[in-house]
Amino acid sequence: MSETVTRRDLDARLEQHRRELTGYCYRMLGSLFEAEDAVQDTMVRAWRAMDRFEGRSSLRSWLYRIATNVCLDMLKAGNRRARPMDLTEATPVAQARLTARPEVAWLEPAPDVRVLPEVSDPAETAVERESIRLAFMAALQHLPPKQRAVLILREVLAWRASEVAELLDTTVASVNSALQRARATLAEAAPAATDTADELDTRQKELLDRYVAAFEGYDMKALTALLHEDATLSMPPYDLWLRGHDDIVGWLQGVGSVCRGSRLVPTVANGMPAFAHYHAAEDGDGHTPWALMVMEIAGGRIRGINSFLDTARWFPLFDLPMRLPAGASARR
């Protein structure tokens, strides 16, 4: 059924699709800032091309076509976003040094509320959260742009092959072939399975509460018991990453001992539990931002700690305070 779109109601109708388009562009580009730029460009192009929209497809499909073309144009430079573990081998704690890599386009975190649409179906919610996990997002970066678009549209957004073929101006056979190749590449990248954030998961909540108590109390024995033997710690924009609870605890007892006396405020990022990590303020008045700490959980233990250190960039994005007053509650 065709849609008639007038300029009077266009703004409101475009805005109805902004959030889901942002999530799509974020999966394509690996950066929320770039995704929001892409969506804004999509809206502008839609406005300018409104006279050529003939209603043969839905407004939503038309916007996805424009957004896909915008993302493909942005990806022509060829720089894929990465995590530290995509660039180097894990470093033994005895050799660990913090080396910034400003030339690297890092995979960036995103608040769920900016990239996940509001849905009532628990199964659909689970798929949406799964598809923005950092490990899955990192695996997507291994796909050529068009394969990435096909995989996201087919397997995340559940579009039919014929719909994707129409959007990409290609054939169903070409779409199916691209999807098969994308699946094979993703299988080789093998993103590790981790738990997504679930407010109803009592076991997860208890684990995170124990983690907060151990980290804030700087109890390394208790912390070790919560970490997988092969847990990882990364700290973009530094390329250093550590594997194994012994090396992680060794780091925290050495160079990382500046984290003693920290406070953790819970939040959610990329469908996973996260914390705003604050250090004791140098002026002695409360605590100031240190990192956005995105957690990966599997099998009842912490599998990954992804500490994004550019707090001037991340804390405003997640609506996190830039200072915790002395004595303030860490719970939000």
Side-chain angles (χ1 to χ4, degrees), residues 21-72:
L21 285 171
T22 302
Y24 172 62
C25 293
Y26 174 62
R27 294 179 182 94
M28 285 290 292
L29 301 170
S31 162
L32 181 61
F33 295 100
E34 288 189 359
E36 291 183 335
D37 287 346
V39 172
Q40 190 57 35
D41 191 2
T42 297
M43 299 302 187
V44 170
R45 292 190 191 190
W47 255 109
R48 291 174 177 170
M50 197 62 237
D51 293 340
R52 298 194 298 276
F53 176 60
E54 300 174 353
R56 288 178 302 200
S57 62
S58 69
L59 176 62
R60 178 174 181 261
S61 297
W62 187 57
L63 289 173
Y64 267 92
R65 174 193 287 266
I66 298 172
T68 299
N69 288 332
V70 170
C71 289
L72 293 178

Side-chain angles (χ1 to χ4, degrees), residues 84-85 87-88 97-101 106 235-241:
M85 45 280 288
L87 304 177
T88 66
R97 300 290 184 274
L98 290 176
T99 305
R101 296 277 292 268
W106 297 106
M235 294 165 281
Y238 299 110
D239 61 5
L240 170 72
W241 67 284

Side-chain angles (χ1 to χ4, degrees), residues 145-178:
K146 283 193 176 180
Q147 285 186 29
R148 199 179 307 176
V150 168
L151 184 116
I152 295 168
L153 290 166
R154 291 282 286 120
E155 305 234 312
V156 176
L157 302 178
W159 285 41
R160 295 191 298 271
S162 58
E163 295 173 320
V164 178
E166 182 179 355
L167 182 146
L168 294 174
D169 288 324
T170 187
T171 64
V172 169
S174 178
V175 167
N176 290 335
S177 176

Side-chain angles (χ1 to χ4, degrees), residues 292-315:
L292 176 70
M293 184 184 284
V294 184
M295 313 299 292
E296 294 175 284
I297 298 173
R301 290 192 179 184
I302 306 295
R303 167 161 270 167
I305 305 169
N306 305 274
S307 288
F308 295 90
L309 302 182
D310 189 354
T311 55
R313 185 174 176 87
W314 306 126
F315 276 43

Side-chain angles (χ1 to χ4, degrees), residues 233-285:
L233 169 65
S234 64
M235 294 165 281
Y238 299 110
D239 61 5
L240 170 72
W241 67 284
L242 305 167
R243 183 190 294 279
H245 55 51
D246 289 341
D247 276 359
I248 292 173
V249 169
W251 173 265
L252 292 173
Q253 290 176 321
V255 176
S257 62
V258 293
C259 293
R260 192 180 298 273
S262 291
R263 299 284 296 281
L264 301 181
V265 176
T267 185
V268 177
N270 292 82
M272 300 184 291
F275 295 102
H277 178 189
Y278 294 84
H279 275 192
E282 292 183 3
D283 60 10
D285 182 16

